[in-house]
Amino acid sequence: MNNHIVKVLEAHFITHDVKRFVVEKPEGFDFVPGQATDLSINLPMWRDQLRPFTFTSLPQQHDLEFMIKIYKDHDGVTHMLGQINKGAELILHDVFGVIEYKGPGTFIAGGAGITPFISIFRNLNKHRHLAGNRLIYSNKTPEDVIMEEELQKMLKHEFIKTFTREHVLGYMPRRIDRNFLIENIADFGQNFYVCGPDEFVKNINTLLLDLGATSETVIFEQ
């Protein structure tokens, strides 16, 4: 696949550390909801610094959208992305990813791990196929939640929010552990979609497999 230099059309923070980017979509550029691409910044010393980010837009849309967690505590790619604005240029590289919708199931996300699920949910909602899906979404504090209003509108009562650091109305003040899964999931033979920090994904997958899920039904980015 050829690399594409694209202009940033919109850039603004949607949480204290997550920035939304809308960029040009090259002609013929395609992806499947849940997939990602390697991005780099079209500036000297940054062009070869590739990092993977998930599309949050729909494949049919005219532009591409990303929601990127910005790490301000070290001088890396996301720190630089936090400083660029409309008019800057990014480089799109190859499309990849194994988090692809395979049928109704339970989605389990930690923090910015929600991003591949956003495109999937938007696509299912557009085609009225969201029935039978549930989201369990874990965050540290209210300021960390990404796209809460839209997710709530789409999923309604199938949106379970957990909080690990604060007691806030509408959130369960606990971590997703074995007991939590047993209390909130009746069928471990269904599809599971898991995304988040590496340790989060590893722990959730271990618990799901121990409770009866299979490697074929647990879908995650390896």
PDB file of all heavy atoms in Angstrom, residues 115 118 126 165 199 202:
ATOM      1  N   THR A 115     -11.406   3.016  21.287  1.00  0.00           N
ATOM      2  CA  THR A 115     -11.393   3.599  19.947  1.00  0.00           C
ATOM      3  C   THR A 115     -11.748   2.636  18.808  1.00  0.00           C
ATOM      4  O   THR A 115     -12.522   3.017  17.931  1.00  0.00           O
ATOM      5  CB  THR A 115     -10.062   4.321  19.649  1.00  0.00           C
ATOM      6  OG1 THR A 115      -8.966   3.432  19.889  1.00  0.00           O
ATOM      7  CG2 THR A 115      -9.926   5.555  20.518  1.00  0.00           C
ATOM      8  N   ILE A 118     -15.551   2.216  18.602  1.00  0.00           N
ATOM      9  CA  ILE A 118     -16.389   3.345  18.202  1.00  0.00           C
ATOM     10  C   ILE A 118     -16.835   3.211  16.754  1.00  0.00           C
ATOM     11  O   ILE A 118     -18.012   3.363  16.425  1.00  0.00           O
ATOM     12  CB  ILE A 118     -15.658   4.684  18.440  1.00  0.00           C
ATOM     13  CG1 ILE A 118     -15.508   4.944  19.946  1.00  0.00           C
ATOM     14  CG2 ILE A 118     -16.418   5.840  17.782  1.00  0.00           C
ATOM     15  CD1 ILE A 118     -14.663   6.158  20.286  1.00  0.00           C
ATOM     16  N   LYS A 126     -25.658   2.465  12.293  1.00  0.00           N
ATOM     17  CA  LYS A 126     -26.086   2.975  10.995  1.00  0.00           C
ATOM     18  C   LYS A 126     -26.959   1.958  10.262  1.00  0.00           C
ATOM     19  O   LYS A 126     -27.939   2.308   9.605  1.00  0.00           O
ATOM     20  CB  LYS A 126     -24.851   3.313  10.150  1.00  0.00           C
ATOM     21  CG  LYS A 126     -25.153   3.795   8.731  1.00  0.00           C
ATOM     22  CD  LYS A 126     -23.880   4.083   7.966  1.00  0.00           C
ATOM     23  CE  LYS A 126     -24.151   4.444   6.521  1.00  0.00           C
ATOM     24  NZ  LYS A 126     -24.893   5.706   6.368  1.00  0.00           N
ATOM     25  N   ARG A 165     -11.287   4.611  40.296  1.00  0.00           N
ATOM     26  CA  ARG A 165     -10.704   5.521  41.290  1.00  0.00           C
ATOM     27  C   ARG A 165     -11.687   6.426  42.006  1.00  0.00           C
ATOM     28  O   ARG A 165     -11.367   6.982  43.039  1.00  0.00           O
ATOM     29  CB  ARG A 165      -9.632   6.398  40.629  1.00  0.00           C
ATOM     30  CG  ARG A 165      -8.397   5.616  40.219  1.00  0.00           C
ATOM     31  CD  ARG A 165      -7.264   6.530  39.820  1.00  0.00           C
ATOM     32  NE  ARG A 165      -6.097   5.772  39.426  1.00  0.00           N
ATOM     33  CZ  ARG A 165      -4.982   6.298  38.952  1.00  0.00           C
ATOM     34  NH1 ARG A 165      -4.878   7.610  38.810  1.00  0.00           N
ATOM     35  NH2 ARG A 165      -3.961   5.539  38.596  1.00  0.00           N
ATOM     36  N   GLU A 199      -1.612  -4.972  29.586  1.00  0.00           N
ATOM     37  CA  GLU A 199      -1.849  -5.757  30.802  1.00  0.00           C
ATOM     38  C   GLU A 199      -3.341  -5.972  31.025  1.00  0.00           C
ATOM     39  O   GLU A 199      -3.765  -7.046  31.471  1.00  0.00           O
ATOM     40  CB  GLU A 199      -1.223  -5.053  32.013  1.00  0.00           C
ATOM     41  CG  GLU A 199      -1.067  -5.940  33.242  1.00  0.00           C
ATOM     42  CD  GLU A 199      -0.117  -7.115  33.024  1.00  0.00           C
ATOM     43  OE1 GLU A 199       0.771  -7.028  32.159  1.00  0.00           O
ATOM     44  OE2 GLU A 199      -0.280  -8.122  33.736  1.00  0.00           O
ATOM     45  N   LYS A 202      -4.465  -8.691  28.558  1.00  0.00           N
ATOM     46  CA  LYS A 202      -3.951  -9.987  29.007  1.00  0.00           C
ATOM     47  C   LYS A 202      -4.770 -10.534  30.171  1.00  0.00           C
ATOM     48  O   LYS A 202      -5.160 -11.713  30.176  1.00  0.00           O
ATOM     49  CB  LYS A 202      -2.483  -9.842  29.419  1.00  0.00           C
ATOM     50  CG  LYS A 202      -1.846 -11.130  29.909  1.00  0.00           C
ATOM     51  CD  LYS A 202      -0.397 -10.892  30.325  1.00  0.00           C
ATOM     52  CE  LYS A 202       0.230 -12.164  30.889  1.00  0.00           C
ATOM     53  NZ  LYS A 202       1.639 -11.927  31.321  1.00  0.00           N
TER      54      LYS A 202
END
